[in-house]
Amino acid sequence: MIPQSTFWDRTAARYAKSPIRNMDAYEQTMARTRSYLNADDRVFEMGAGTSSTAILLAPLVRHYTSSDISAEMVAIGRDKARDAEIGNLDVVQADVGGIGAGTDPYDVVLAYNLLHLLPDPGAAARQVHAMLKPGGLFISKTTCLAGQVYLRPVIAVMQFFGKAPYVNLLGADTLEAAVTDAGFDIIEADNHPAGKRNRFLVARKT
């Protein structure tokens, strides 16, 4: 399997042009996220892709940092942020293990469609915990595909040909346990859209 950064570099241009598949679900997720943001917040988004969500949310807070492992995603995101004239948004390249080092704690950390692409979501949750102020929020949305065993050989073949990234077939229970074990209290859990496998979580650092 090719490195994650290489996969996303190769797909960045196509990804940037792809429409959101379910706009109603995305808008619901954004509405719930906005309800937790304050004008004085410092926000960090990991796995931000080309920073579309960052550009949408950054005007609501004091400062917003958008990060991604892919240099190509980051380059596109920087161009989009410049074109949108978002002055309080930094777009940086970083993997999950290297983010947040040497910075002041954040009020909110966001991770949309990321945790199921990591071998160890619990390690990511612990990293987020270290980045946040006491009482800070971790807001995430994760595809939970536990039980879909037929996907394993399909994904393996796609990965062999460089057509798919690493995918962790998480269950919602496993995901939530990883977050709580990292030192969070879950204060909101829902599926957007309802009945599907996209788990939206809001967790507060204890």
Side-chain angles (χ1 to χ4, degrees):
M1 186 170 64
I2 62 175
Q4 290 283 74
S5 58
T6 302
F7 173 83
W8 293 111
D9 282 344
R10 290 177 179 177
T11 59
R14 184 172 71 252
Y15 177 92
K17 296 176 182 178
S18 299
I20 295 171
R21 293 182 181 179
N22 189 326
M23 183 58 73
D24 289 343
Y26 178 75
E27 289 179 349
Q28 184 179 358
T29 299
M30 291 298 98
R32 294 307 306 142
T33 299
R34 288 189 192 96
S35 73
Y36 288 101
L37 299 180
N38 297 300
D40 289 335
D41 284 344
R42 293 180 67 250
V43 177
F44 192 102
E45 183 182 355
M46 58 175 65
T50 59
S51 295
S52 295
T53 294
I55 290 168
L56 184 67
L57 297 178
L60 305 177
V61 301
R62 176 163 58 96
H63 190 268
Y64 197 113
T65 301
S66 170
S67 75
D68 199 89
I69 193 174
S70 162
E72 293 299 321
M73 292 280 194
V74 167
I76 294 170
R78 285 173 177 164
D79 288 344
K80 289 166 62 175
R82 184 189 63 246
D83 291 346
E85 299 181 342
I86 307 295
N88 68 331
L89 172 61
D90 290 332
V91 183
V92 301
Q93 183 182 7
D95 62 22
V96 172
I99 59 179
T103 66
D104 294 332
Y106 292 93
D107 299 284
V108 182
V109 173
L110 308 175
Y112 299 116
N113 303 311
L114 173 68
L115 297 180
H116 68 288
L117 301 177
L118 303 177
D120 190 351
R126 292 189 294 273
Q127 173 72 15
V128 171
H129 190 275
M131 295 170 63
L132 284 166
K133 295 178 180 179
L137 297 178
F138 179 29
I139 303 177
S140 63
K141 188 174 182 180
T142 306
T143 301
C144 294
L145 296 172
Q148 309 297 297
V149 293
Y150 69 91
L151 290 175
R152 292 189 185 277
V154 174
I155 293 170
V157 171
M158 293 179 68
Q159 289 170 338
F160 180 81
F161 289 103
K163 301 297 185 181
Y166 174 86
V167 179
N168 191 330
L169 301 185
L170 288 171
D173 290 347
T174 302
L175 171 67
E176 292 178 22
V179 172
T180 55
D181 288 349
F184 291 95
D185 288 333
I186 294 175
I187 59 177
E188 181 176 344
D190 198 3
N191 285 9
H192 303 163
K196 301 298 183 181
R197 295 176 176 270
N198 300 296
R199 194 67 169 165
F200 177 77
L201 296 179
V202 182
R204 178 174 286 118
K205 177 176 178 174
T206 55

